[in-house]
């Protein structure tokens, strides 16, 4: 499966000075990532606060009387996307919420690039400066979006493909039994991870050299092995998915939203974008230059079969829907798969020595660590917002229903608030109000409880004031009929919100809302204000009109709000 020409000379590896050893930079990156996760409790990672609170409940918080009435666990609801939930149930009570949540975030950061590095090393042999460049792929849009199960699954898929190589293609029974186990585990974590693994396995079954694609005997043998691999993998995938009591999107409507051609093209940037797309692209240029220069000099090695898999993933990146089956940003997921598979499949300047090696290491390390420093500064900035939410929650009485709303600024808030937004202008703050769950023992309507994706379900009367996957709404929706009507179909808890909720938590409160500025509905009494976050008690005796005058409420802009 691996060309012997890819084996490095041991003498060359041993003669490299320590400062030029790629493993040193990989170790520094892993350590830096660990320190970041330890230093920042709630970083500006979109879905992370929501996952954090679900871990809290599944680890034991659900046994508290208030939450026992509000939530229940039903493991028949979901058979995929539950890696976090299974670990929370089995390990959470042993090691605690904080350690488990931070460990999962750490794995989501480092596993994808480490998996690609490990597979590249197995294919081509030994460590190489290109491994430093692969670390750039740690900070992708899917990580900043908080797709924790997905990110961990990508790393595991790459490592499981490495096990394929260790077993060998000729031990058909053993390798296909392994593939059944691998797909079972990956599907539990995230179904896309299982698919990614099968695509990698198919690529590794194809010839490593393009000239071998003219050999029909080799292609027939590869086709046979790929068919067996697909059959072995699809059995556990289908078994798990079909055994669940519901499929993703069953409780939200299986609506498909497609990208425009321009958005489809911009999808490719999601694989290298964190918070600042222009800066990310600028820092990625040295890595692209290295690859292009190596190709122009014909000093690049590759695994042809894996490149076929890369091409397949590239096509999926272009045609995948944006949202489908209650799952958002599907089209963001294939570009990072494409680059990770591509990173495993090539090795530019395979015998880099002397000045070439020094420049290679310097360029890649500069791109990776400058970017990581920027990420650290953004995380520090975002931590201030999370702290503001926790400060106002400190005065919230326990066992209350909290309605989260936000201010939507007219324009990008600038560098001072850069942590609040990432790719395509999406916010990172919408799930910060869910911290009220563990911090204040409160009920928030937007905790993830989707059929087909989470075992956590809402019980009794709380069901009427919750949604399976929620978003922030503008504070204007509380007193502007036009906004209220626009949001109501996907936030039904806004109906009779004064009666159903006890407090309103406003985030992004230090910036004016694009619809209503700093105005609030009558009958809210400020309890706490920490700048970014403000907490208001709802005056249940308020007799003011339900909606303000229409002149005060401009028409909503659904394209921005969604």
């Amino acid at each position: 499966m691996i060309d012997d020409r890819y084996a490095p000379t041991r003498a060359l590896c041993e003669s490299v000075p320590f400062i030029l050893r790629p493993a040193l930079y990989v170790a520094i990156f892993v350590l830096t990532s660990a320190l970041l996760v330890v230093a920042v409790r709630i970083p500006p990672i979109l879905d992370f606060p929501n996952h954090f609170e679900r871990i809290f409940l599944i680890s034991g918080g659900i046994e508290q009387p208030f939450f026992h009435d509000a939530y229940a666990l039903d493991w028949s609801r979901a058979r995929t996307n539950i890696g976090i939930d299974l670990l929370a149930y089995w390990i959470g009570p042993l090691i605690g919420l904080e350690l488990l949540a931070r460990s999962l975030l750490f794995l989501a950061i480092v596993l994808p690039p480490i998996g690609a590095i490990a597979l590249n090393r197995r294919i081509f042999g030994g460590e190489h400066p290109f491994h430093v460049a692969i670390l750039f792929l740690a900070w992708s849009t899917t990580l900043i979006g908080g797709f924790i199960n997905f990110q961990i699954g990508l790393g595991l898929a790459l490592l499981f493909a490495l096990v394929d190589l260790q077993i060998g293609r000729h031990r058909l029974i053993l390798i296909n039994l392994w593939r059944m186990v691998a797909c079972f585990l990956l599907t539990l974590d995230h179904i896309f991870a299982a698919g990614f693994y099968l695509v990698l396995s198919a690529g590794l079954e194809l010839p490593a050299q393009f000239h071998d694609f003219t050999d029909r005997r080799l292609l027939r043998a590869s086709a046979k092995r790929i068919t067996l691999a697909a059959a072995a993998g699809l059995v556990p995938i289908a078994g798990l998915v079909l055994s669940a009591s519901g499929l993703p999107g069953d409780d939200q409507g299986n609506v498909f939203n497609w990208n425009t051609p321009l958005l489809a093209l911009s999808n490719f940037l999601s694989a290298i974008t964190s918070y600042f797309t222009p800066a990310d692209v600028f820092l990625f240029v040295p890595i692209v230059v290295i690859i292009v220069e190596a190709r122009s000099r014909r000093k690049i090695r590759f695994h042809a079969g894996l490149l076929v898999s890369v091409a397949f993933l590239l096509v999926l990146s272009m045609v995948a829907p944006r949202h489908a089956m209650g799952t958002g940003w599907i089209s963001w997921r294939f570009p990072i798969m494409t680059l990770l598979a591509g990173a495993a499949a090539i090795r530019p300047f395979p015998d880099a020595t002397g000045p070439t090696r020094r420049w290679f290491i310097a360029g890649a390390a500069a791109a990776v660590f400058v970017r990581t420093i920027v990420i650290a500064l953004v995380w520090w900035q975002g931590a201030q917002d999370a702290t503001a939410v926790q400060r106002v929650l400190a005065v919230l009485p326990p066992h209350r229903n909290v309605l989260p709303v936000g201010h939507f600024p007219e324009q990008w808030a600038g560098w001072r608030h850069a942590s609040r937004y990432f790719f395509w202008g999406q916010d990172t703050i919408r799930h910060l109000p869910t911290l009220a769950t563990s911090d204040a023992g409160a009920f928030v309507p937007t905790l993830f409880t989707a059929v087909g994706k989470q075992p956590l379900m809402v019980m009794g009367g709380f069901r009427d004031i919750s949604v399976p996957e929620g978003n922030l709404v503008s504070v204007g929706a509380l007193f502007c009929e036009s906004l209220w009507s626009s949001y109501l179909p996907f936030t039904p808890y806004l109906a009779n919100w004064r009666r159903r909720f006890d407090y309103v938590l406003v985030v992004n409160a230090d910036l004016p809302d694009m619809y209503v500025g700093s105005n609030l509905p009558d009958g809210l009494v400020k309890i706490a204000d920490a700048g970014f976050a403000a907490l208001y008690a709802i005056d249940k005796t308020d007799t003011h009109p339900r909606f303000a005058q229409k002149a005060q409420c401009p028409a909503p802009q659904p394209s921005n709000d969604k």
Side-chain angles (χ1 to χ4, degrees), residues 57-390:
L57 290 170
I58 297 176
S59 296
I62 199 171
E63 299 302 325
Q64 298 177 16
F66 178 73
F67 292 129
H68 187 73
D69 294 335
Y71 298 103
L73 287 174
D74 181 359
W75 293 98
S76 70
R77 284 164 45 97
R79 294 287 191 263
T80 185
N81 196 45
I82 58 173
I84 287 176
D85 306 82
L86 289 169
L87 291 173
Y89 185 79
W90 292 107
I91 300 178
L94 301 177
I95 67 174
L97 166 66
E98 296 285 343
L99 179 57
L100 177 57
R102 295 182 195 221
S103 298
L104 291 170
L105 179 57
F106 170 72
L107 292 175
I109 297 169
V110 303
L111 267 186
I114 292 299
I117 289 169
L119 187 55
N120 183 280
R121 180 172 181 138
R122 177 63 178 83
I123 291 172
F124 301 106
E127 62 178 356
H128 187 267
F130 187 56
H131 296 166
V132 181
I134 294 175
L135 296 172
F136 195 93
L137 301 180
W139 307 110
S140 64
T141 295
T142 49
L143 174 72
I144 307 304
F147 304 168
I148 306 299
N149 279 324
F150 173 77
Q151 286 284 122
I152 293 174
L154 294 186
L156 291 176
L158 289 157
L159 293 175
F160 286 1
L162 175 62
V163 176
D164 281 16
L165 295 180
Q166 293 296 113
I167 294 174
R169 62 167 52 147
H170 299 296
R171 302 162 75 179
L172 279 178
I173 295 178
L174 180 59
I175 195 170
N176 285 302
L177 285 174
W178 155 247
R179 283 168 175 157
M180 293 181 71
V181 173
C183 283
F184 178 83
L185 295 174
L186 290 171
T187 303
L188 286 175
D189 178 70
H190 200 289
I191 194 168
F192 280 26
F196 183 45
Y197 165 71
L198 288 178
V199 171
L200 292 171
S201 295
L204 291 171
E205 289 291 1
L206 290 169
Q209 300 297 318
F210 277 120
H211 61 73
D212 289 332
F213 277 72
T214 60
D215 189 326
R216 294 184 178 181
R217 182 183 61 82
L218 280 178
L219 288 182
R220 282 195 298 269
S222 294
K224 175 184 175 182
R225 291 192 299 270
I226 290 171
T227 302
L228 289 174
L234 289 175
V235 168
I237 293 173
L240 285 170
V241 171
L242 296 177
S243 66
S245 61
L247 295 176
D250 279 357
D251 53 352
Q252 303 173 63
N254 292 318
V255 178
F256 282 69
N257 293 331
W258 299 91
N259 290 312
T260 64
L262 181 60
L263 288 180
L265 288 174
S266 71
N267 265 328
F268 295 116
L269 294 177
S270 68
I272 61 168
T273 292
S274 55
Y275 299 96
F276 311 114
T277 301
D280 291 324
V281 171
F282 176 79
L283 290 172
F284 191 60
V285 167
I287 296 173
V288 174
V289 169
I290 289 170
I291 296 172
V292 171
E293 182 68 14
R295 180 69 184 89
S296 68
R297 296 187 186 185
R298 298 188 177 184
K299 293 184 176 181
I300 187 169
R301 290 175 177 167
F302 52 80
H303 189 289
L306 261 189
L307 289 182
V308 172
S309 293
V310 170
F312 175 72
L313 292 168
L314 185 63
V315 172
L316 289 181
S317 301
M318 299 174 65
V319 302
R322 185 165 73 252
H323 309 303
M325 300 185 70
T327 301
W329 300 321
I330 289 176
S331 56
W332 287 0
R333 303 170 193 251
F334 293 104
I336 186 61
M337 293 186 197
T338 303
L339 285 196
L340 286 169
I346 65 171
R347 179 167 287 188
F349 297 109
D351 301 316
T353 57
T356 301
R357 187 181 186 91
R358 288 195 293 272
W359 281 109
F360 200 151
I361 290 279
V368 168
F369 290 105
V370 168
R371 192 179 191 216
T372 302
I373 291 170
V374 173
I375 296 286
L377 293 173
V378 172
W379 278 30
W380 173 83
Q381 188 183 74
Q384 314 309 308
D385 293 339
T387 300
V389 172
Q390 292 172 305

Side-chain angles (χ1 to χ4, degrees), residues 512-532:
D513 183 73
M514 64 188 298
Y515 302 119
V516 297
S518 298
N519 295 320
L520 292 169
D522 294 328
L524 294 187
V525 180
K526 184 180 288 187
I527 302 299
D529 188 345
F532 169 78

